[in-house]
Amino acid sequence: MKMPLTESVNVVLSMSGLHRVGAMKGRRIAAALTGCILTIGPVALAAQQAASPTPDPQQLPGTGEQVHTGVSSGLDTEARIQNLLADHQFIRIESQLGDLSPAEARFYRGILANRNNDLKASIQLLEPLIDQVAASGNTIREKILRKTLAEDYLRSGNLASAAKAYQSLEIRLKDHLSPDELDEIELPLKLLPLAASNPPMTVEPYDLFHLQVGKNPLGVTELPVYVDARSHSFMLDPTAPFNLIARSLAKEAGLTVSDQSATIHTLTGHPMQVHVTVIPRFTIGGRITFRNMTAFVFEDADYFFPRSHFQVEGVLGYPALSALGSLTIAADDTIDVVPFKQQKTAENSALAEKNSGNETDDHPLPGARFFLDGDQMIVALGDAGQERMYVVDASSQQTYLTSRYYDEHAAEFTGQKMELFSLPGQQSGAPQPAFVAETVPLIIGPDAVDVHYIQVLTQPLGSALLDDVYGLLGLDVLDQLRSYTFDYRTMHFSVKAE
């Protein structure tokens, strides 16, 4: 689960990085994954190595043995598919479904439907399998099944079923869940029971629109919203599974806040109480209206940033943003929103002309496929058949490429100066050897774009959440583009270069 932001001495980042660094060490820490590059001269580097077990920056991990899931040989078919699934290799799994038995193929089609955000198909395929899989004693498969169905219910807005599914996952498989996996489900496990009886959220029909937005002092895009006719600004976080609102705003709007609360630890690394409310009428920019929006209420002090004197008012996560259909965020601080189905109007035609007609088409936009895996948005970059999987996080400031990228491009860094990449929020562990890539070419669907000054780790960090992708693309990369689009209608991510 992601929360909006955390603040450090030099940088401010989204909590998505916090979630993954905390998972790597088994405990959450009150800072996000940030990239703090320290240039180390020969003497300082020797001192660093003597003081801690920092990997030797002169060692080239690309020449050593490094095992990644999904590429091992000598495995039976299901073990290979399970490794590919853990490795986010969804396109490769699609191509291998024909190698499976009908029952196995149905199971993995349901999992892939979830990753493709086809929630209805995923539920239809997987629900009938629960009893059979549970009786089989295959705890790995049961864990995948129950977690996927829980995510299906959550993303589809069926909060009562989601609450039951997460509870069943914990009750049946707690002894088979790692500390990292228990941390991963803490928020839905504890928060969803608060909202299980809430009415379903609905969205009133709307036309496509163009809207001026802004960035807060932390550098994150904010949308103008109305909470029961009161004007505010909420941060945009496409992969956060919940909408959030500050207690002061809830009080100002006269919202009913639950007496019942949940104490959680994984948001900030410290115990905090969270309540729930229902916003009867919530509007983005006066253009799209939500009815009965569930939002979780945090105490203002938990998200006030003294260095920038900034108070977070609220966060719009997946439940709201996925209803937007297609969301384009431009460098001129504007957004274009296209609904799943739209009417033919003069405004629609004008906006379509502005965007070369792309946004009005029902067929996939030119771009790269993206998938939803837990709270991660995984995008497949590269030529067809040779895609590499990256995380895209539109609320994280920090971009980095992992040792998987380095392994394939080690020769490009020959003769360059090694630096140390520090994880400031990480309370233990030494800085990691890294290079700074001046230019990194990325192939995003039909478009080739160059991004600049990206940190490249040379060694694994020791966590599948961090190591099993080729990198995380944050705001420092997205801000180098003229625009970028998340099209939930077609599950494609597209960009326009500067």
Side-chain angles (χ1 to χ4, degrees):
M1 160 63 180
K2 300 167 52 162
M3 268 294 290
L5 298 169
T6 187
E7 192 172 46
S8 67
V9 174
N10 298 315
V11 290
V12 181
L13 298 178
S14 88
M15 290 292 293
S16 60
L18 164 60
H19 176 81
R20 295 178 180 89
V21 175
M24 179 174 63
K25 294 302 177 185
R27 290 296 130 222
R28 296 299 187 252
I29 43 183
L33 173 62
T34 70
C36 178
I37 294 293
L38 305 175
T39 302
I40 306 296
V43 175
L45 181 57
Q48 169 69 29
Q49 292 172 329
S52 65
T54 305
D56 183 356
Q58 301 308 317
Q59 180 182 357
L60 298 180
T63 62
E65 182 179 5
Q66 191 170 347
V67 177
H68 297 299
T69 58
V71 297
S72 301
S73 60
L75 298 176
D76 62 36
T77 300
E78 183 171 14
R80 185 176 71 252
I81 296 295
Q82 287 179 353
N83 280 356
L84 288 172
L85 183 64
D87 204 35
H88 315 294
Q89 297 294 328
F90 310 122
I91 296 174
R92 289 180 60 187
I93 295 174
E94 289 174 347
S95 69
Q96 297 183 28
L97 289 176
D99 299 335
L100 303 177
S101 69
E104 290 174 331
R106 174 183 178 139
F107 178 85
Y108 286 105
R109 283 193 181 96
I111 304 302
L112 291 177
N114 165 276
R115 306 307 193 257
N116 280 293
N117 210 33
D118 188 351
L119 306 177
K120 182 178 180 181
S122 181
I123 292 170
Q124 288 177 341
L125 287 165
L126 296 180
E127 268 188 343
L129 304 180
I130 293 179
D131 291 341
Q132 175 187 346
V133 172
S136 72
N138 187 332
T139 56
I140 295 177
R141 180 177 281 205
E142 183 178 358
K143 182 164 60 174
I144 294 171
L145 172 62
R146 290 189 180 277
K147 185 174 183 292
T148 299
L149 273 173
E151 291 176 2
D152 285 337
Y153 299 137
L154 176 57
R155 280 194 240 144
S156 61
N158 188 341
L159 304 185
S161 293
K164 292 179 182 178
Y166 279 106
Q167 289 170 344
S168 296
L169 173 63
E170 185 200 34
I171 291 170
R172 282 196 54 84
L173 298 169
K174 185 174 182 179
D175 292 340
H176 299 279
L177 296 174
S178 68
D180 295 349
E181 290 171 327
L182 289 170
D183 280 348
E184 184 180 356
I185 68 171
E186 187 209 36
L187 294 183
L189 182 66
K190 292 185 176 180
L191 296 185
L192 284 172
L194 302 180
S197 61
N198 285 4
M201 185 183 74
T202 59
V203 184
E204 295 183 357
Y206 66 98
D207 291 325
L208 59 85
F209 61 87
H210 179 79
L211 184 67
Q212 188 72 44
V213 296
K215 289 188 177 178
N216 60 34
L218 310 178
V220 178
T221 298
E222 288 197 325
L223 304 181
V225 304
Y226 295 90
V227 180
D228 270 12
R230 292 171 173 82
S231 176
H232 297 286
S233 295
F234 274 37
M235 292 191 300
L236 180 151
D237 189 351
T239 57
F242 300 116
N243 302 312
L244 307 164
I245 186 171
R247 177 176 283 276
S248 62
L249 266 69
K251 181 178 180 180
E252 177 187 330
L255 303 178
T256 300
V257 177
S258 65
D259 293 328
Q260 187 180 10
S261 66
T263 301
I264 54 178
H265 302 78
T266 53
L267 294 184
T268 63
H270 302 286
M272 60 180 293
Q273 283 192 325
V274 177
H275 300 255
V276 71
T277 189
V278 175
I279 305 174
R281 185 173 186 271
F282 184 96
T283 304
I284 297 177
R287 306 302 298 271
I288 175 172
T289 298
F290 300 82
R291 299 285 184 177
N292 297 324
M293 175 187 282
T294 290
F296 290 94
V297 182
F298 59 86
E299 300 298 332
D300 291 38
D302 289 327
Y303 293 103
F304 174 72
F305 300 101
R307 297 186 185 93
S308 49
H309 303 285
F310 176 67
Q311 174 66 59
V312 176
E313 295 185 323
V315 178
L316 283 180
Y318 173 87
L321 297 177
S322 64
L324 300 183
S326 173
L327 172 65
T328 298
I329 303 169
D332 62 356
D333 289 335
T334 62
I335 64 171
D336 290 323
V337 174
V338 182
F340 283 90
K341 294 182 179 180
Q342 69 227 20
Q343 302 175 354
K344 297 294 184 181
T345 67
E347 183 179 6
N348 291 358
S349 299
L351 186 56
E353 182 177 355
K354 171 182 179 292
N355 291 285
S356 303
N358 288 336
E359 281 77 5
T360 62
D361 293 337
D362 290 331
H363 61 75
L365 297 174
R369 292 180 65 183
F370 75 84
F371 306 85
L372 299 180
D373 191 357
D375 71 348
Q376 291 182 307
M377 183 177 287
I378 310 290
V379 61
L381 304 186
D383 294 324
Q386 300 185 26
E387 296 90 350
R388 300 294 186 262
M389 311 306 274
Y390 293 76
V391 171
V392 175
D393 191 341
S395 65
S396 175
Q397 300 280 37
Q398 182 61 53
T399 292
Y400 64 90
L401 303 181
T402 68
S403 60
R404 296 194 72 168
Y405 178 91
Y406 176 74
D407 286 348
E408 296 183 6
H409 299 84
E412 300 171 12
F413 299 97
T414 301
Q416 293 191 26
K417 190 172 186 178
M418 185 78 73
E419 298 176 336
L420 290 180
F421 180 86
S422 180
L423 308 180
Q426 189 177 343
Q427 294 177 337
S428 62
Q432 300 295 313
F435 290 104
V436 175
E438 183 174 344
T439 300
V440 175
L442 297 175
I443 298 176
I444 304 176
D447 299 306
V449 299
D450 290 337
V451 296
H452 305 285
Y453 304 108
I454 308 301
Q455 291 99 21
V456 181
L457 296 168
T458 65
Q459 297 185 4
L461 292 171
S463 166
L465 285 171
L466 300 173
D467 295 327
D468 282 350
V469 292
Y470 279 74
L472 181 145
L473 308 181
L475 281 174
D476 51 340
V477 158
L478 298 177
D479 285 347
Q480 297 178 31
L481 306 170
R482 184 153 58 97
S483 68
Y484 54 96
T485 299
F486 300 106
D487 193 336
Y488 289 97
R489 304 169 303 168
T490 62
M491 295 299 287
H492 276 70
F493 172 73
S494 57
V495 304
K496 292 182 179 179
E498 284 287 3

